[in-house]
Amino acid sequence: LQDDFPKNFLWGASTSAFQVEGAAYEDGKGESVADLRSQNSKFLDTSVSVDHYHHVEEDVALMAKLGLKSYRFSISWSRIFPHGNDKEPNQKGIAFYNKLINLLIKNQIEPIVTMFHFDCPISLVKQYGGWANRKVINDFYNYAKTLFNEFGDRVKYWLTINEQSLLANVPEMNGIKDNDLRLLREKGENSNYNMFLAQAKVYRLCHDLFPDSMIGPAVSYMTNFPYDHTSKNALKSKNMEDLISFIDMDVALRGELPSYYLRYLEDSKITLDYHEGDADILKNGRANFLGLNWYSTSVFKLSNEESPKMLAGVISNVEKVTDDRLMNSEWDFSYDPVGLRFALQKVNDRYPHIPIIITECGWPERDQLENGQVHDPKRIKYLNGHIFELREAIKDGVNVISFNPWSFLDLLSVNDGMDKRYGLVYVNRNNQSMLDMKRYPKDSFYFYQKVIATNGKN
Ligand code: BGP
């Protein structure tokens, strides 16, 4: 058994395209669902974000200063194919990612590339309904093929879809709408099925083209516990975890729809658009590692209250209970690092020895810039606790190969813009104004720099 972090452990950090790049309407990029959402929110200006598109050299220099061994970022589909399925890719988009990837490699930083992170090209929604229509399977496959052709010689680690279960349960995140809630859920589950099929085809293609590459999903792993030891609460908690988190892992690694999911569809009277040959597609294309986005644990108990709108289908008739003994963030979010070790053990029990990359893990704050410095002790505590438990999980025998906290630099939070910051690097802009966009390493940056330099001893 490993008793410390492996020598070649990839200490990284994470971001996604629309949350950092800006330049949403520059150099031929097409509009995405994320850009459209941004127009309806005063907080989410993706035309600027934190302007990584124009700060890429400076940002990679900061990554090198931090000592990163890996950097997880996403490619914007509509920067490569402005309409999602154009005949030819947008060369300026390819040039931007070539520049980024080459800069990373020059600095010995391993690129970990997400193909799709909440930013469906809006044109695909207009053309045929986006992910809810099976036509998307081919379009995603062609997009992925282009990424392999353009960048596959230098990128070894690929993540297909970020947080698929969130997209399935909140179909609006993929631009899918319907006033009828049941129909909306049916579209959401069909988009889920299309995402499974599209990814399976892409896993297969990747193994055929680059047998040494690693490819897998970036799963939202929401670890939850029952409020008490009653079997009813424990069963509900397990069912939710299966339907929200393990479903994405089960399909990617086992190559079939799990029986608990079929039961859920039947109970919800939801029909999927099955075609002959689908089962073979799922069976023949499997991931060879897991990306896990892990933040916190939650405690649930059954309630008779109405379901919350969010994830109404899967999370129904439950109440979230906050544990006041834990450090809780302003955003309904607790500090519970032992939960990470517990969660990793569970994954390893289910799929022994599967390589795991922690693709997100982080602490949100309203950080303040004071005389060029940002003091973020809670984020340091969060990172320290999670790195400690990660080491314990590795000692337990869990095959974690990389840790990429969210986020490398401050970026647009999905719902709160710049109010809710996760970065190791502060970016001088806020929700009201773009200010000068200057970058300032926070205290947590220097903490993490030591962690990396000592391979986790800190
Ligand atoms: C994950 C997403 C990220 C990121 C993070 C924090 O779900 O993959 O894109 O945003 O959560 O969430 P939020 O921005 O809502 O605080």
Side-chain angles (χ1 to χ4, degrees), residues 15-16 18-19 72 117-118 162-163 166 220 293 295 331 333 360 364 406 411-417 420 422:
T15 64
S16 93
F18 79 92
Q19 293 176 283
R72 180 217 174 196
H117 194 126
F118 299 167
N162 182 70
E163 301 198 342
L166 179 68
S220 167
N293 293 352
Y295 285 85
W331 291 272
F333 187 113
E360 289 181 29
W406 186 265
L411 43 73
L412 293 183
S413 145
V414 169
N415 293 309
D416 302 276
K420 189 182 185 185
Y422 290 85

Side-chain angles (χ1 to χ4, degrees), residues 394-433:
I394 291 173
K395 286 191 199 171
D396 294 333
V398 186
N399 188 12
V400 185
I401 59 172
S402 176
F403 177 66
N404 299 270
W406 186 265
S407 50
F408 169 63
L409 76 175
D410 286 343
L411 43 73
L412 293 183
S413 145
V414 169
N415 293 309
D416 302 276
M418 299 300 296
D419 276 352
K420 189 182 185 185
R421 293 171 187 262
Y422 290 85
L424 300 166
V425 175
Y426 185 88
V427 178
N428 192 30
R429 66 151 286 197
N430 54 38
N431 277 344
Q432 288 70 41
S433 153

